[in-house]
Amino acid sequence: MKLIDSCEITVKSGNGGNGVVAFRREKHIPRGGPSGGNGGKGGDVIFIADRNLRTLMDFRYKRKYQAENGEDGRGKKMYGKDGQDLIIKVPMGTVLRDVESGAVMADLKEDGQRFVAAKGGKGGKGNDFFKNSVRQAPNFAESGGFSTERTVELELKLIADVGLIGYPNVGKSTLLSVSTSATPKIANYHFTTITPNLGVVTMFDDSFVMADIPGLIEGASAGSGLGLEFLKHIERTRILIHVVDAAGSEGRDPKEDLDKINAELASYSEKLIKKPQIIAANKTDLIYDQEAFEEFKAYAESKGYSVYPISAATHKGIEELLTAAHRLLAVTEPEEEIMPNINFESRSPEEEADYRDVHCGREGKVFTVSGKQLEKIFNSTNFNDSGSLRYLYKYVENSGAIDRLLEMGMEEGDTIRIFDYEFEYFEE
Ligand SMILES: Nc1nc2c(ncn2[C@@H]2O[C@H](COP(=O)(O)OP(=O)(O)OP(=O)(O)O)[C@@H](O)[C@H]2O)c(=O)[nH]1
Ligand SMILES: [Mg+2]
């Protein structure tokens, strides 16, 4: 069962409605005032995280998403209707990436968290808007503004809520297989599982993600066996189910198993051993010494753990165990995650053009260049580094600013000023 899901879709916002040019016509007024209404705003494409979704399955068949266009304005100062926003629901934990630039646009982690991935055109003003005391009959109106189209990659990484830990061969994968639709490899030898498997447990109208990991052994926290790398994984789960072979079918004492594994957790990290933990006492179908089992149960309970007797092989006790896990999750805070600082600016085409626009000016023999994007690049330029400077210069050159300055009369040796930085212009 593959639970790292990803897919690519294209989203398109709505065009803005055009403003219109219209004039009032009334019986006794030969030439009425302007009455062209504004166009409506184009719909945005908005992603919203929804806790009821678990996978990206829905996107497998529908790949194109488009918000409504805004309506054009009409005469009699009538506004065009705004286009409806298009809401796309995604599971919590979906990362949105802009395919063209490769930039992460958003990481929708919380229920209801939203992100505008494509802004609609803003809608043009009708000529009525442009009238003023000197310009009483403007015969122009604004166009509505274009839509934005973007290819977005959605990626969903399922993070397990519950981690199954325990010695090799105690039945962790079997428990996962009977609790979820996951089909991990199960076999009667140690280290059958070499990478974790994930599955979704459905309970009532809720669900949670469970993961098994390779078996832990003494010294796992120091690198013995396969466990070390996976201790990191379970550090991100919210609760642990500690699976023990309660029948001691391989000749070990379950009390010792419990203590040894917990000692490994403790020496790996404090966080891990403090995680809420319940015990699945597995293989009860093999118990022949009931007294020894009661002793184990009492021992674990004396250490503060709840013990759930189960038999993963015969499904006995599974329901009770999962209900307990579900209940525990409900009272356990989700793991805090440190996220990279995502700062993706979603701009409409108008804003984008404005952002990229480079302005040229002249003050005597000093030629000036400025712009919003230029300012960003300027602020991150290292003026002691020739590569960084060259990048800045290339940006200015590619923007067409140098050509424009030459048209404005710039000559060799004149000064170009970018914000507070000045340099002389020489032809290359
Ligand atoms: N009798 C009995 N056998 C079980 C039970 N649960 C699991 N087994 C058997 O125990 C063996 C190991 O099961 P796995 O689920 O592979 O154990 P694991 O803990 O995932 O093992 P590793 O991946 O090697 O760490 C298999 O042969 C299972 O069929 C149980 O409740 N009763
Ligand atoms: Mg296994």
Side-chain angles (χ1 to χ4, degrees):
M1 186 168 179
K2 186 180 161 211
L3 282 157
I4 295 184
D5 228 358
S6 71
C7 63
E8 255 182 45
I9 60 172
T10 55
V11 298
K12 192 173 176 200
S13 60
N15 287 311
N18 297 318
V20 295
V21 177
F23 293 94
R24 266 198 323 268
R25 276 172 222 281
E26 282 169 47
K27 265 188 184 157
H28 304 293
I29 306 171
R31 183 150 183 246
S35 68
N38 301 339
K41 187 187 157 312
D44 296 337
V45 177
I46 305 171
F47 285 91
I48 297 187
D50 184 331
R51 70 192 312 268
N52 298 313
L53 296 175
R54 275 283 162 185
T55 67
L56 299 174
M57 289 285 260
D58 297 348
F59 298 100
R60 202 142 302 167
Y61 305 105
K62 186 165 158 52
R63 294 288 168 102
K64 283 189 187 275
Y65 294 83
Q66 169 150 27
E68 230 175 51
N69 293 329
E71 271 180 12
D72 291 346
R74 275 173 281 170
K76 299 186 182 162
K77 300 191 188 179
M78 283 199 288
Y79 284 56
K81 241 181 38 194
D82 287 349
Q84 257 195 18
D85 293 339
L86 181 74
I87 306 283
I88 303 179
K89 290 183 179 170
V90 294
M92 287 154 68
T94 302
V95 173
L96 307 180
R97 191 184 294 277
D98 177 48
V99 170
E100 197 193 346
S101 66
V104 171
M105 301 193 289
D107 182 358
L108 301 177
K109 290 163 66 174
E110 275 156 39
D111 188 33
Q113 197 180 336
R114 44 201 281 146
F115 177 74
V116 179
K119 272 195 187 174
K122 68 178 175 31
K125 303 279 188 239
N127 68 336
D128 177 51
F129 178 84
F130 295 103
K131 82 172 173 230
N132 55 32
S133 55
V134 284
R135 193 169 58 203
Q136 296 194 355
N139 59 355
F140 58 88
E142 255 179 345
S143 71
F146 294 113
S147 59
T148 308
E149 187 166 347
R150 212 192 273 293
T151 306
V152 181
E153 184 196 53
L154 314 181
E155 190 183 81
L156 175 65
K157 283 200 189 77
L158 282 189
I159 295 170
D161 302 299
V162 179
L164 301 178
I165 55 162
Y167 259 91
N169 222 36
V170 294
K172 301 178 296 298
S173 301
T174 310
L175 175 56
L176 180 71
S177 76
V178 300
S179 311
T180 72
S181 60
T183 53
K185 190 170 171 200
I186 294 165
N188 194 14
Y189 54 83
H190 288 199
F191 300 117
T192 307
T193 302
I194 51 176
T195 57
N197 302 287
L198 293 169
V200 179
V201 180
T202 313
M203 287 238 94
F204 315 113
D205 57 349
D206 205 1
S207 60
F208 58 86
V209 178
M210 183 186 262
D212 71 352
I213 64 163
L216 299 171
I217 55 171
E218 225 178 330
S221 61
S224 297
L226 296 170
L228 189 61
E229 185 186 337
F230 303 107
L231 287 174
K232 243 191 333 245
H233 278 272
I234 55 171
E235 223 178 5
R236 301 175 73 196
T237 62
R238 289 159 63 195
I239 68 167
L240 301 176
I241 295 182
H242 192 150
V243 185
V244 287
D245 174 354
S249 65
E250 294 189 326
R252 292 188 312 269
D253 177 358
K255 295 198 291 291
E256 274 178 31
D257 276 14
L258 178 68
D259 288 343
K260 280 187 180 159
I261 297 294
N262 279 340
E264 289 306 321
L265 298 188
S267 62
Y268 181 77
S269 85
E270 200 178 323
K271 192 169 150 197
L272 210 43
I273 191 64
K274 282 194 177 148
K275 233 173 245 303
Q277 183 181 125
I278 55 179
I279 293 172
N282 193 29
K283 305 200 183 182
T284 51
D285 56 296
L286 298 181
I287 289 175
Y288 59 90
D289 185 349
Q290 192 63 32
E291 220 170 279
F293 173 69
E294 292 303 332
E295 199 186 310
F296 164 72
K297 191 163 179 280
Y299 178 76
E301 282 169 355
S302 74
K303 301 210 152 193
Y305 301 111
S306 303
V307 179
Y308 296 86
I310 64 165
S311 164
T314 66
H315 295 208
K316 205 174 137 232
I318 301 297
E319 200 61 37
E320 290 82 350
L321 174 70
L322 296 180
T323 306
H326 183 245
R327 222 179 311 127
L328 187 54
L329 279 172
V331 296
T332 307
E333 288 292 310
E335 275 297 305
E336 284 248 355
E337 253 195 280
I338 303 146
M339 282 309 300
N341 186 11
I342 290 165
N343 189 10
F344 187 90
E345 297 166 47
S346 176
R347 303 183 190 92
S348 69
E350 295 88 359
E351 288 165 335
E352 187 65 36
D354 176 54
Y355 180 65
R356 289 171 192 258
D357 214 12
V358 170
H359 310 279
C360 297
R362 175 173 189 170
E363 295 163 16
K365 275 279 165 207
V366 177
F367 292 81
T368 60
V369 185
S370 63
K372 286 182 185 161
Q373 187 178 35
L374 175 62
E375 188 170 355
K376 272 220 158 146
I377 293 171
F378 182 85
N379 287 335
S380 60
T381 298
N382 175 0
F383 290 92
N384 297 319
D385 177 69
S386 62
S388 178
L389 267 177
R390 194 158 43 232
Y391 181 79
L392 175 68
Y393 186 77
K394 274 280 164 225
Y395 175 83
V396 173
E397 195 174 37
N398 291 341
S399 73
I402 300 293
D403 292 339
R404 264 146 67 198
L405 294 179
L406 288 170
E407 279 166 24
M408 289 164 77
M410 180 173 70
E411 290 171 351
E412 281 222 353
D414 287 348
T415 301
I416 298 179
R417 183 194 298 149
I418 304 176
F419 302 102
D420 57 1
Y421 178 72
E422 292 189 346
F423 60 97
E424 275 178 40
Y425 171 69
F426 285 106
E427 267 175 54
E428 287 183 0

